[in-house]
Amino acid sequence: MSDDSIKTKDKIAPLPTIRRIPSYLRLLYEYRKEGREWISATDIAERLSLKPIQVRKDMAFTGITGKPKKGFVVSDLIDSIRGFLGWDMMSDTVIVGSGALGSALIGYSGFSEHGLNIIGAFDNDEAKIGSLIHGHKVYDLKDIASVIKDNDVTIGIITVPAQAAQSVADKLVEAGIKGIWNFSPVKLRVPECVIVEKEDLSSGLAVLSVKLGAHLCTD
Amino acid sequence: MSDDSIKTKDKIAPLPTIRRIPSYLRLLYEYRKEGREWISATDIAERLSLKPIQVRKDMAFTGITGKPKKGFVVSDLIDSIRGFLGWDMMSDTVIVGSGALGSALIGYSGFSEHGLNIIGAFDNDEAKIGSLIHGHKVYDLKDIASVIKDNDVTIGIITVPAQAAQSVADKLVEAGIKGIWNFSPVKLRVPECVIVEKEDLSSGLAVLSVKLGAHLCTD
């Protein structure tokens, strides 16, 4: 298996497909809100500046087949995508670190649409422990193992500073977490059975910077 | 030119290369802090769980040539990477939206290392206008054109809610911004000469979710 794709139950899905799929879902929620029943790959492609063939290929990975000339039933496509991403089942999740980024994430109300049920946050700052951030309790980092085990938490989001990230990851793994969404700049060492997805904002900024530098427009 | 690469002055750099480069830079800063003079592609590969050949190819895009058996002089490699990314020159930048995510970004002290000089933030909330967030002034959104022009701002970071994003982008473009780092979930319509890089956290979450779902470990 290459690093650029993921083997699922039925087929190997390329990473760019998986990364594009949430934007389809967002558009589909808009369509549903507007009461529209059908959507075509051409509509989707146009709205998201993609090629229709690309959209059709991506959709096929989710296991759905469109109807010629009509496209997809909006609610069926939503179900198909949510099932493919596993977002039809809620994963209990904790956020470790309640600094600026952690607080911003705790306040993100869209997580439930993304299959995440936020159980609470953890911090080692006495001033924060016991307080509520956007309605979620901040627990003492010392209690992380018991909270994770008691609530059967499967995903941990790490937003602590670099120097604390590995020790937090070790605690999460020891408590039985299955997946880590890592916002720290550290490359975490975890057992093979634990999935880590690293969110590196500086990657996006690098792409923006290089594009700006390569830019040939003169006006 | 494909969507998966960027043509720079000298060569076409693949997007995955550009996205990896900031993590090299981070490691190099660590090496420099530790007072180490040399670094090899093998060291870098090992520390970041990459293949040495991949690291060597990526480095070549920045225009540097290593020395056999010794690798690269740390400070030269830092200069080469910063030059490649354009991070050796500061871009004056504004953040539009001072909600949870905007505030988190304003507080990120690493921006200057990434070539961004934050001029200030903008909001339309009377309660926030005139206040300081992490030492940066929050301006009235109404004044955005004059602040951008007076300070020769080139980059705008959008963190406003979806329904306000396009109108903010229009204002930034009209004021002469060259690049937009878009954290809103909206696909922005801008003139061809304006670069937009969309930061979609749900993409990373989708990858994590699919990997978790495809996971075969049973323990």
Side-chain angles (χ1 to χ4, degrees), chain A:
Chain A
M1 186 166 81
S2 106
D3 287 346
D4 298 330
S5 62
I6 303 175
K7 192 174 187 313
T8 62
K9 281 191 303 290
D10 311 308
K11 49 194 88 165
I12 295 172
L15 276 185
T17 291
I18 296 168
R19 297 185 66 88
R20 267 191 298 271
I21 282 180
S23 60
Y24 299 150
L25 194 55
R26 207 173 285 125
L27 181 62
L28 288 164
Y29 286 143
E30 271 180 48
Y31 266 60
R32 185 173 65 182
K33 213 169 148 192
E34 293 164 7
R36 299 165 76 164
E37 201 188 340
W38 290 86
I39 192 166
S40 71
T42 314
D43 293 340
I44 298 174
E46 201 164 291
R47 288 286 294 273
L48 301 175
S49 308
L50 296 165
K51 299 204 177 81
I53 176 77
Q54 183 75 79
V55 174
R56 280 187 202 99
K57 276 187 191 169
D58 288 349
M59 292 307 165
F61 279 108
T62 73
I64 203 168
T65 317
K67 207 171 159 178
K69 291 187 185 162
K70 296 201 78 172
F72 307 94
V73 174
V74 170
S75 60
D76 290 352
L77 190 48
I78 288 175
D79 290 346
S80 175
I81 289 181
R82 287 174 56 91
F84 173 75
L85 295 175
W87 291 357
D88 49 346
M89 312 262 283
M90 295 301 262
S91 297
D92 286 336
T93 302
V94 294
I95 297 182
V96 191
S98 66
L101 180 62
S103 299
L105 289 173
I106 295 166
Y108 178 54
S109 57
F111 274 143
S112 63
E113 279 179 3
H114 294 74
L116 297 190
N117 178 35
I118 304 293
I119 297 292
F122 289 88
D123 212 299
N124 59 5
D125 179 350
E126 294 284 343
K128 290 177 178 170
I129 295 165
S131 71
L132 291 178
I133 299 182
H134 301 290
H136 292 288
K137 190 172 166 185
V138 181
Y139 294 93
D140 189 336
L141 188 56
K142 284 191 200 117
D143 300 327
I144 195 162
S146 61
V147 174
I148 286 177
K149 283 174 189 164
D150 292 352
N151 293 280
D152 222 1
V153 172
T154 49
I155 295 178
I157 304 178
I158 296 184
T159 70
V160 299
Q163 64 274 18
Q166 184 61 51
S167 108
V168 163
D170 294 344
K171 286 191 180 80
L172 289 172
V173 167
E174 211 186 300
I177 218 97
K178 304 287 179 218
I180 294 176
W181 199 13
N182 177 23
F183 283 81
S184 88
V186 174
K187 175 96 193 179
L188 299 172
R189 295 176 302 279
V190 298
E192 217 181 324
C193 273
V194 175
I195 307 287
V196 178
E197 180 66 18
K198 191 163 179 297
E199 204 62 60
D200 192 347
L201 294 185
S202 59
S203 290
L205 189 51
V207 173
L208 178 64
S209 304
V210 173
K211 283 184 180 170
L212 276 172
H215 208 36
L216 300 172
C217 288
T218 48
D219 59 332

